[in-house]
Amino acid sequence: MNAGLIGIGKYVPPHILTNADLEKRMDTSDEWIRTMTGIQERRIADDSIDSSHMAYNAAADAIKDAGIKPEEIGLILVATVTPDQPFPSVSAMIQDQLGAKNAAAMDISAACSGYMYGIVTAKQFVESGTYDYVLVVGVEKLSKITDWEDRNTAVLFGDGAGAAVIGKVSEGRGVLSFELGADGSGGKYLYQDEKLIMNGREVFKFAVRQMGQSAINVIEKAGLTKEDVDFLIPHQANIRIMESARQRLDLPVEKMSKTVHKYGNTSSASIPISLFDDVAEGKVKDDDVIVLVGFGGGLTWGALCIKWGR
Ligand code: ACO
């Protein structure tokens, strides 16, 4: 019996910050940002919208989509590096707001790979029979730790949330294989010291190396080959990094998710937001083999091979 994603949800704040808006605030250009990252605009949460607000909205939609009651959830995992405050956790806050009164709750800190860590943890609890349903949310309000004076990082990030309910799915579907990893020696390349600090070159090299390899690893672990993959959902950090993963799998452009142009890098929310849009647009269909792969601060990485459908 495999665990799989039985309901999904998404929330992005309404305010759009375009490259043209950034040109007015700092020494950058729409041309540079598009060419170097693929980003055209991103969503920014105002002061009235914190991570718990975005997480709640995405989670409520995922629960509705799954057709279950909040009381049936056994565990809530929220992947975030931008919680409202260190504690109570975002997961505990939304446990109350959702009325998920039988759920345990904890946050996961694995930066952009956090959602992958969440899904893999949820899978263990569902497949062991411990919980029927686990709610996993990836949410970030990166705008509050962005250094708006630093053009090297300020143009890259956006805010948002994506969620999934993990439960039992029918024979042959669900999470077929996974890989999680970390290399703490690379922590110095991407960290928070009040504001976000990044060595873009080093993160870029790591990401190009790791994304393609992790994708290949989960395909092999699932007993499949590159030819079996219908769709790739890479972490939406930079179109050039995403392209390198796509080329490693020999997939045509239309078989790779691309939302980086409209949301920027939303860290742990980027893969679930993309998955939501891809399903809504019919790019991911029942029984498709999809590969999700992410990397982030830590350094961390994670990949999943899933046969889509309930
Ligand atoms: N506008 C205009 N010029 C800029 C900007 C900007 N916004 N930012 C940097 N530049 C300039 C630099 O000053 C530099 O100029 P110089 O040659 O005169 O010194 C030039 O552009 C090249 O800068 P580099 O930083 O060397 O460019 P690079 O090719 O490395 O691209 C980028 C930068 C896009 C950030 C790239 O390194 C990258 O995408 N790295 C990965 C980042 C990433 O994925 N981070 C997310 C990790 S996930 C997480 O956990 C949050």
Side-chain angles (χ1 to χ4, degrees):
M1 185 275 295
N2 275 341
L5 285 66
I6 63 162
I8 53 176
K10 160 198 160 185
Y11 175 87
V12 290
H15 177 66
I16 295 174
L17 184 71
T18 66
N19 291 350
D21 296 329
L22 287 169
E23 281 177 347
K24 292 179 202 132
R25 289 172 70 160
M26 62 190 74
D27 180 18
T28 189
S29 67
D30 174 51
E31 164 73 21
W32 190 95
I33 303 170
R34 273 178 202 252
T35 314
M36 298 298 276
T37 72
I39 301 167
Q40 296 173 19
E41 58 186 44
R42 67 288 288 144
R43 301 300 179 99
I44 301 293
D46 66 28
D47 290 346
S48 70
I49 303 174
D50 215 331
S51 290
S52 59
H53 177 101
M54 296 190 278
Y56 167 81
N57 280 287
D61 282 358
I63 292 167
K64 200 171 158 201
D65 187 38
I68 64 163
K69 295 192 195 73
E71 300 85 345
E72 296 179 89
I73 297 169
L75 175 66
I76 299 175
L77 301 169
V78 174
T80 186
V81 292
T82 49
D84 299 27
Q85 66 277 309
F87 66 94
S89 60
V90 174
S91 47
M93 293 173 78
I94 67 168
Q95 186 253 17
D96 176 46
Q97 293 162 7
L98 292 165
K101 59 178 195 286
N102 298 310
M106 66 171 168
D107 286 2
I108 293 176
S109 174
C112 306
S113 316
Y115 179 77
M116 317 302 282
Y117 273 72
I119 299 285
V120 172
T121 307
K123 170 182 155 74
Q124 311 307 318
F125 281 112
V126 170
E127 292 182 0
S128 66
T130 311
Y131 300 123
D132 290 336
Y133 303 107
V134 178
L135 171 68
V136 180
V137 184
V139 61
E140 301 296 355
K141 187 175 176 179
L142 286 168
S143 59
K144 70 180 176 188
I145 62 163
T146 298
D147 179 356
W148 292 101
E149 305 293 315
D150 176 14
R151 69 174 184 172
N152 292 292
T153 53
V155 303
L156 303 176
F157 301 108
D159 301 333
V165 174
I166 311 304
K168 295 183 193 77
V169 290
S170 38
E171 186 75 34
R173 290 178 172 173
V175 179
L176 305 179
S177 63
F178 70 86
E179 173 175 284
L180 296 178
D183 175 8
S185 72
K188 55 185 176 286
Y189 298 135
L190 181 57
Y191 60 97
Q192 186 191 349
D193 181 13
E194 282 192 45
K195 298 296 178 190
L196 185 149
I197 295 168
M198 182 178 77
N199 180 331
R201 278 270 161 91
E202 289 297 333
V203 176
F204 192 95
K205 281 193 285 184
F206 156 73
V208 165
R209 198 173 58 239
Q210 196 60 53
M211 291 262 274
Q213 191 55 52
S214 290
I216 297 283
N217 291 348
V218 290
I219 293 165
E220 284 176 0
K221 280 186 189 174
L224 302 173
T225 65
K226 291 191 282 193
E227 291 70 34
D228 298 312
V229 177
D230 295 299
F231 204 71
L232 170 68
I233 307 184
H235 171 42
Q236 307 281 310
N238 180 317
I239 191 69
R240 295 183 289 144
I241 298 171
M242 293 156 54
E243 277 295 315
S244 75
R246 180 182 70 76
Q247 284 159 12
R248 187 87 191 266
L249 299 193
D250 297 321
L251 284 171
V253 269
E254 64 275 12
K255 290 197 168 190
M256 181 180 75
S257 180
K258 184 172 158 287
T259 60
V260 70
H261 60 293
K262 52 183 178 175
Y263 303 129
N265 177 353
T266 57
S267 189
S268 66
S270 104
I271 290 174
I273 286 175
S274 296
L275 174 65
F276 183 92
D277 283 6
D278 296 327
V279 171
E281 291 164 18
K283 292 178 186 164
V284 171
K285 303 174 294 300
D286 278 358
D287 292 318
D288 279 354
V289 172
I290 62 172
V291 171
L292 281 50
V293 58
F295 67 93
L299 299 168
T300 56
W301 62 90
L304 297 167
C305 184
I306 297 174
K307 196 169 182 78
W308 190 250
R310 298 177 193 191

